[in-house]
Amino acid sequence: MTTTLPLRHRAEQLAASLPPLLVAAERVASTVAQGVHGRRRVGQGETFWQFRHYDMGDQPQAIDWRQSAKSDMVFVREMEWEAAQSVWIWRDTSPSMSWSSSRNHQSKRERADLLTLALSVLLMRGGEHVAVLGAGPRPSNSRATLTRIAVMLEGAREEPEELPPSLPLPRSAQIVLIGDFLAPLEEIDRTLRYYGESGVRGTVLQVLDPAEESLPYDGRVSFEGLEQEAPWLVSRVESVRADYAKRLQEQRDGLRDITRALGWGCDFHRSDQPPQAALMRLYTTLSQVLA
């Protein structure tokens, strides 16, 4: 008993220090992991891609001493195969993602953050290197990287991004984009084609609030946008429900067409549904591509 209590106390302290989002993501990922098999590959690649600064978690054997001797910095030689097999994840940070129609389920932003981190957990367990697109840190599968991603998702004040930025990625890299994708289809097409035409493979997940799917309101309602849109007063919401459903379906059909033309995956998820189903589909799609 005297040895168990201190160990339990240390374990409780460690758990308490973890970001709550990481705890939730680990729980979701563990549920999904029971139905999938991880992958571990060996090999460091054959074609030189770039030098980068030595980072915590790198193996000393990866240091390029000749390049490091030229400056006061320590450099690692990174191979193209290793970089190309990394997965970059992006999630929508626009103000509209913070909206929720009910306190009984997460906002779109909360669900996107949870899926981003839970997918990172699964991929890292399978040996993949993961990074958040545009966040700075290089792709890695270390526990320290996972914790940094969790802290960033929970606490960072990021610039609003309705669509992913156009950033250079290695050939045949994999990208996962999570957001509501309610921007004009022309803008979505232009953004996704930037990556698709450069050889990047991708998967898109649209996350919507249930009220955005069904427009469940009745009577006179004033809709106010979260991104400086003009208010929209509707005298009888039920009179526009059919047109709204048609317009939403056109948006989704257009998103499917854009991703299909690039050979990308496309899926849809509602923020009131269990996250495990969406996570399983995402991971299964990536497993087929990265196998």
Side-chain angles (χ1 to χ4, degrees), residues 214-242:
S214 61
L215 199 66
Y217 311 108
D218 292 308
R220 183 184 176 91
V221 177
S222 177
F223 295 93
E224 297 181 3
L226 298 175
E227 299 180 16
Q228 299 182 342
E229 303 97 336
W232 182 38
L233 179 62
V234 182
S235 57
R236 293 181 64 251
V237 174
E238 52 270 30
S239 66
V240 302
R241 188 172 291 125

mmCIF file of all heavy atoms in Angstrom, residues 214-242:
data_model
loop_
_atom_site.group_PDB
_atom_site.id
_atom_site.type_symbol
_atom_site.label_atom_id
_atom_site.label_comp_id
_atom_site.label_asym_id
_atom_site.label_seq_id
_atom_site.Cartn_x
_atom_site.Cartn_y
_atom_site.Cartn_z
ATOM 1 N N SER A 214 -31.180 20.908 -41.129
ATOM 2 C CA SER A 214 -32.643 20.771 -41.160
ATOM 3 C C SER A 214 -33.412 22.086 -41.111
ATOM 4 O O SER A 214 -34.604 22.109 -41.413
ATOM 5 C CB SER A 214 -33.097 19.886 -39.990
ATOM 6 O OG SER A 214 -32.732 20.477 -38.748
ATOM 7 N N LEU A 215 -32.748 23.188 -40.694
ATOM 8 C CA LEU A 215 -33.432 24.474 -40.505
ATOM 9 C C LEU A 215 -34.747 24.254 -39.744
ATOM 10 O O LEU A 215 -35.840 24.456 -40.265
ATOM 11 C CB LEU A 215 -33.706 25.142 -41.862
ATOM 12 C CG LEU A 215 -33.988 26.636 -41.817
ATOM 13 C CD1 LEU A 215 -32.762 27.415 -41.356
ATOM 14 C CD2 LEU A 215 -34.438 27.146 -43.190
ATOM 15 N N PRO A 216 -34.659 23.852 -38.476
ATOM 16 C CA PRO A 216 -35.832 23.395 -37.734
ATOM 17 C C PRO A 216 -36.736 24.487 -37.186
ATOM 18 O O PRO A 216 -37.711 24.194 -36.470
ATOM 19 C CB PRO A 216 -35.194 22.608 -36.579
ATOM 20 C CG PRO A 216 -33.918 23.350 -36.311
ATOM 21 C CD PRO A 216 -33.436 23.806 -37.656
ATOM 22 N N TYR A 217 -36.464 25.742 -37.493
ATOM 23 C CA TYR A 217 -37.204 26.842 -36.889
ATOM 24 C C TYR A 217 -38.533 27.086 -37.596
ATOM 25 O O TYR A 217 -38.729 26.721 -38.754
ATOM 26 C CB TYR A 217 -36.352 28.108 -36.916
ATOM 27 C CG TYR A 217 -34.944 27.870 -36.398
ATOM 28 C CD1 TYR A 217 -33.859 27.851 -37.281
ATOM 29 C CD2 TYR A 217 -34.703 27.642 -35.052
ATOM 30 C CE1 TYR A 217 -32.569 27.624 -36.820
ATOM 31 C CE2 TYR A 217 -33.426 27.408 -34.584
ATOM 32 C CZ TYR A 217 -32.365 27.389 -35.469
ATOM 33 O OH TYR A 217 -31.091 27.147 -35.014
ATOM 34 N N ASP A 218 -39.438 27.731 -36.886
ATOM 35 C CA ASP A 218 -40.750 28.081 -37.436
ATOM 36 C C ASP A 218 -41.062 29.542 -37.135
ATOM 37 O O ASP A 218 -40.552 30.123 -36.177
ATOM 38 C CB ASP A 218 -41.853 27.198 -36.826
ATOM 39 C CG ASP A 218 -41.736 25.746 -37.251
ATOM 40 O OD1 ASP A 218 -41.644 25.489 -38.470
ATOM 41 O OD2 ASP A 218 -41.711 24.871 -36.375
ATOM 42 N N GLY A 219 -41.927 30.107 -37.971
ATOM 43 C CA GLY A 219 -42.375 31.464 -37.733
ATOM 44 C C GLY A 219 -41.355 32.515 -38.130
ATOM 45 O O GLY A 219 -40.478 32.285 -38.964
ATOM 46 N N ARG A 220 -41.457 33.661 -37.507
ATOM 47 C CA ARG A 220 -40.623 34.826 -37.820
ATOM 48 C C ARG A 220 -39.281 34.711 -37.098
ATOM 49 O O ARG A 220 -39.234 34.650 -35.866
ATOM 50 C CB ARG A 220 -41.357 36.096 -37.396
ATOM 51 C CG ARG A 220 -40.641 37.403 -37.712
ATOM 52 C CD ARG A 220 -41.446 38.551 -37.138
ATOM 53 N NE ARG A 220 -40.794 39.836 -37.313
ATOM 54 C CZ ARG A 220 -40.973 40.634 -38.363
ATOM 55 N NH1 ARG A 220 -41.809 40.265 -39.328
ATOM 56 N NH2 ARG A 220 -40.347 41.792 -38.447
ATOM 57 N N VAL A 221 -38.205 34.687 -37.859
ATOM 58 C CA VAL A 221 -36.871 34.505 -37.279
ATOM 59 C C VAL A 221 -35.895 35.463 -37.955
ATOM 60 O O VAL A 221 -35.923 35.638 -39.177
ATOM 61 C CB VAL A 221 -36.360 33.058 -37.447
ATOM 62 C CG1 VAL A 221 -34.939 32.926 -36.895
ATOM 63 C CG2 VAL A 221 -37.294 32.072 -36.749
ATOM 64 N N SER A 222 -35.039 36.083 -37.153
ATOM 65 C CA SER A 222 -33.974 36.930 -37.685
ATOM 66 C C SER A 222 -32.650 36.174 -37.545
ATOM 67 O O SER A 222 -32.241 35.812 -36.441
ATOM 68 C CB SER A 222 -33.894 38.253 -36.917
ATOM 69 O OG SER A 222 -32.811 39.043 -37.389
ATOM 70 N N PHE A 223 -32.004 35.909 -38.667
ATOM 71 C CA PHE A 223 -30.729 35.205 -38.677
ATOM 72 C C PHE A 223 -29.594 36.223 -38.732
ATOM 73 O O PHE A 223 -29.590 37.109 -39.593
ATOM 74 C CB PHE A 223 -30.642 34.273 -39.890
ATOM 75 C CG PHE A 223 -31.642 33.152 -39.861
ATOM 76 C CD1 PHE A 223 -32.876 33.292 -40.483
ATOM 77 C CD2 PHE A 223 -31.352 31.968 -39.209
ATOM 78 C CE1 PHE A 223 -33.801 32.261 -40.458
ATOM 79 C CE2 PHE A 223 -32.272 30.926 -39.172
ATOM 80 C CZ PHE A 223 -33.498 31.080 -39.800
ATOM 81 N N GLU A 224 -28.659 36.105 -37.813
ATOM 82 C CA GLU A 224 -27.534 37.015 -37.749
ATOM 83 C C GLU A 224 -26.245 36.233 -37.985
ATOM 84 O O GLU A 224 -25.964 35.242 -37.306
ATOM 85 C CB GLU A 224 -27.482 37.723 -36.397
ATOM 86 C CG GLU A 224 -28.700 38.603 -36.134
ATOM 87 C CD GLU A 224 -28.617 39.320 -34.810
ATOM 88 O OE1 GLU A 224 -27.580 39.163 -34.124
ATOM 89 O OE2 GLU A 224 -29.572 40.041 -34.460
ATOM 90 N N GLY A 225 -25.445 36.688 -38.950
ATOM 91 C CA GLY A 225 -24.210 36.008 -39.278
ATOM 92 C C GLY A 225 -23.108 36.275 -38.274
ATOM 93 O O GLY A 225 -23.139 37.271 -37.543
ATOM 94 N N LEU A 226 -22.111 35.386 -38.256
ATOM 95 C CA LEU A 226 -20.967 35.529 -37.367
ATOM 96 C C LEU A 226 -19.741 36.075 -38.082
ATOM 97 O O LEU A 226 -18.692 36.259 -37.463
ATOM 98 C CB LEU A 226 -20.629 34.165 -36.740
ATOM 99 C CG LEU A 226 -21.716 33.540 -35.863
ATOM 100 C CD1 LEU A 226 -21.292 32.147 -35.421
ATOM 101 C CD2 LEU A 226 -21.989 34.421 -34.654
ATOM 102 N N GLU A 227 -19.872 36.313 -39.373
ATOM 103 C CA GLU A 227 -18.722 36.767 -40.155
ATOM 104 C C GLU A 227 -19.077 38.036 -40.939
ATOM 105 O O GLU A 227 -18.803 38.160 -42.125
ATOM 106 C CB GLU A 227 -18.252 35.647 -41.077
ATOM 107 C CG GLU A 227 -17.808 34.415 -40.295
ATOM 108 C CD GLU A 227 -17.336 33.281 -41.181
ATOM 109 O OE1 GLU A 227 -17.060 33.529 -42.378
ATOM 110 O OE2 GLU A 227 -17.235 32.149 -40.686
ATOM 111 N N GLN A 228 -19.755 38.964 -40.224
ATOM 112 C CA GLN A 228 -20.095 40.288 -40.743
ATOM 113 C C GLN A 228 -21.115 40.253 -41.880
ATOM 114 O O GLN A 228 -21.226 41.208 -42.663
ATOM 115 C CB GLN A 228 -18.824 41.016 -41.207
ATOM 116 C CG GLN A 228 -17.831 41.224 -40.076
ATOM 117 C CD GLN A 228 -16.588 41.976 -40.513
ATOM 118 O OE1 GLN A 228 -16.292 42.061 -41.700
ATOM 119 N NE2 GLN A 228 -15.864 42.533 -39.560
ATOM 120 N N GLU A 229 -21.878 39.167 -41.975
ATOM 121 C CA GLU A 229 -22.962 39.137 -42.957
ATOM 122 C C GLU A 229 -24.123 40.008 -42.456
ATOM 123 O O GLU A 229 -24.314 40.191 -41.259
ATOM 124 C CB GLU A 229 -23.473 37.712 -43.180
ATOM 125 C CG GLU A 229 -22.424 36.717 -43.630
ATOM 126 C CD GLU A 229 -21.861 35.922 -42.485
ATOM 127 O OE1 GLU A 229 -21.916 36.399 -41.326
ATOM 128 O OE2 GLU A 229 -21.347 34.816 -42.741
ATOM 129 N N ALA A 230 -24.885 40.525 -43.378
ATOM 130 C CA ALA A 230 -26.057 41.325 -43.014
ATOM 131 C C ALA A 230 -27.134 40.420 -42.419
ATOM 132 O O ALA A 230 -27.293 39.265 -42.835
ATOM 133 C CB ALA A 230 -26.601 42.035 -44.252
ATOM 134 N N PRO A 231 -27.887 40.887 -41.409
ATOM 135 C CA PRO A 231 -28.971 40.089 -40.830
ATOM 136 C C PRO A 231 -30.006 39.730 -41.896
ATOM 137 O O PRO A 231 -30.232 40.487 -42.855
ATOM 138 C CB PRO A 231 -29.567 41.006 -39.765
ATOM 139 C CG PRO A 231 -28.488 41.992 -39.460
ATOM 140 C CD PRO A 231 -27.739 42.189 -40.738
ATOM 141 N N TRP A 232 -30.650 38.591 -41.708
ATOM 142 C CA TRP A 232 -31.651 38.116 -42.662
ATOM 143 C C TRP A 232 -32.933 37.819 -41.885
ATOM 144 O O TRP A 232 -32.976 36.887 -41.076
ATOM 145 C CB TRP A 232 -31.149 36.864 -43.383
ATOM 146 C CG TRP A 232 -32.090 36.338 -44.426
ATOM 147 C CD1 TRP A 232 -32.853 37.043 -45.282
ATOM 148 C CD2 TRP A 232 -32.365 34.959 -44.691
ATOM 149 N NE1 TRP A 232 -33.585 36.214 -46.085
ATOM 150 C CE2 TRP A 232 -33.299 34.914 -45.751
ATOM 151 C CE3 TRP A 232 -31.893 33.750 -44.164
ATOM 152 C CZ2 TRP A 232 -33.800 33.728 -46.272
ATOM 153 C CZ3 TRP A 232 -32.369 32.565 -44.677
ATOM 154 C CH2 TRP A 232 -33.309 32.557 -45.724
ATOM 155 N N LEU A 233 -33.959 38.621 -42.094
ATOM 156 C CA LEU A 233 -35.233 38.459 -41.406
ATOM 157 C C LEU A 233 -36.181 37.655 -42.294
ATOM 158 O O LEU A 233 -36.478 38.053 -43.429
ATOM 159 C CB LEU A 233 -35.856 39.821 -41.082
ATOM 160 C CG LEU A 233 -37.217 39.789 -40.372
ATOM 161 C CD1 LEU A 233 -37.108 39.105 -39.010
ATOM 162 C CD2 LEU A 233 -37.775 41.193 -40.228
ATOM 163 N N VAL A 234 -36.651 36.532 -41.769
ATOM 164 C CA VAL A 234 -37.563 35.657 -42.510
ATOM 165 C C VAL A 234 -38.897 35.633 -41.762
ATOM 166 O O VAL A 234 -38.941 35.290 -40.572
ATOM 167 C CB VAL A 234 -37.000 34.220 -42.638
ATOM 168 C CG1 VAL A 234 -37.944 33.353 -43.448
ATOM 169 C CG2 VAL A 234 -35.610 34.253 -43.264
ATOM 170 N N SER A 235 -39.956 36.014 -42.430
ATOM 171 C CA SER A 235 -41.261 36.091 -41.762
ATOM 172 C C SER A 235 -41.824 34.704 -41.448
ATOM 173 O O SER A 235 -42.468 34.508 -40.425
ATOM 174 C CB SER A 235 -42.243 36.878 -42.636
ATOM 175 O OG SER A 235 -42.359 36.270 -43.915
ATOM 176 N N ARG A 236 -41.593 33.742 -42.343
ATOM 177 C CA ARG A 236 -42.058 32.356 -42.106
ATOM 178 C C ARG A 236 -40.938 31.409 -42.573
ATOM 179 O O ARG A 236 -40.792 31.147 -43.759
ATOM 180 C CB ARG A 236 -43.343 32.064 -42.864
ATOM 181 C CG ARG A 236 -44.549 32.864 -42.372
ATOM 182 C CD ARG A 236 -45.821 32.516 -43.147
ATOM 183 N NE ARG A 236 -46.220 31.130 -42.951
ATOM 184 C CZ ARG A 236 -46.137 30.173 -43.882
ATOM 185 N NH1 ARG A 236 -45.647 30.450 -45.089
ATOM 186 N NH2 ARG A 236 -46.527 28.942 -43.624
ATOM 187 N N VAL A 237 -40.179 30.904 -41.613
ATOM 188 C CA VAL A 237 -39.042 30.052 -41.952
ATOM 189 C C VAL A 237 -39.495 28.807 -42.710
ATOM 190 O O VAL A 237 -38.815 28.347 -43.632
ATOM 191 C CB VAL A 237 -38.273 29.650 -40.677
ATOM 192 C CG1 VAL A 237 -37.174 28.650 -41.010
ATOM 193 C CG2 VAL A 237 -37.674 30.873 -40.006
ATOM 194 N N GLU A 238 -40.651 28.277 -42.353
ATOM 195 C CA GLU A 238 -41.115 27.046 -43.002
ATOM 196 C C GLU A 238 -41.315 27.233 -44.507
ATOM 197 O O GLU A 238 -41.266 26.272 -45.281
ATOM 198 C CB GLU A 238 -42.408 26.534 -42.356
ATOM 199 C CG GLU A 238 -43.521 27.565 -42.249
ATOM 200 C CD GLU A 238 -43.491 28.354 -40.961
ATOM 201 O OE1 GLU A 238 -42.392 28.555 -40.401
ATOM 202 O OE2 GLU A 238 -44.577 28.760 -40.517
ATOM 203 N N SER A 239 -41.504 28.481 -44.934
ATOM 204 C CA SER A 239 -41.734 28.734 -46.355
ATOM 205 C C SER A 239 -40.444 28.662 -47.181
ATOM 206 O O SER A 239 -40.494 28.546 -48.409
ATOM 207 C CB SER A 239 -42.380 30.104 -46.559
ATOM 208 O OG SER A 239 -41.489 31.150 -46.179
ATOM 209 N N VAL A 240 -39.281 28.754 -46.520
ATOM 210 C CA VAL A 240 -38.011 28.708 -47.248
ATOM 211 C C VAL A 240 -37.234 27.422 -46.972
ATOM 212 O O VAL A 240 -36.142 27.243 -47.503
ATOM 213 C CB VAL A 240 -37.126 29.928 -46.893
ATOM 214 C CG1 VAL A 240 -37.862 31.225 -47.208
ATOM 215 C CG2 VAL A 240 -36.703 29.893 -45.428
ATOM 216 N N ARG A 241 -37.814 26.540 -46.165
ATOM 217 C CA ARG A 241 -37.072 25.340 -45.751
ATOM 218 C C ARG A 241 -36.703 24.454 -46.939
ATOM 219 O O ARG A 241 -35.580 23.943 -47.026
ATOM 220 C CB ARG A 241 -37.877 24.550 -44.724
ATOM 221 C CG ARG A 241 -37.115 23.394 -44.101
ATOM 222 C CD ARG A 241 -37.881 22.750 -42.958
ATOM 223 N NE ARG A 241 -37.955 23.661 -41.825
ATOM 224 C CZ ARG A 241 -39.091 24.045 -41.247
ATOM 225 N NH1 ARG A 241 -40.258 23.608 -41.729
ATOM 226 N NH2 ARG A 241 -39.075 24.857 -40.213
ATOM 227 N N ALA A 242 -37.626 24.267 -47.870
ATOM 228 C CA ALA A 242 -37.353 23.400 -49.026
ATOM 229 C C ALA A 242 -36.254 23.995 -49.904
ATOM 230 O O ALA A 242 -35.350 23.275 -50.361
ATOM 231 C CB ALA A 242 -38.628 23.186 -49.833
#
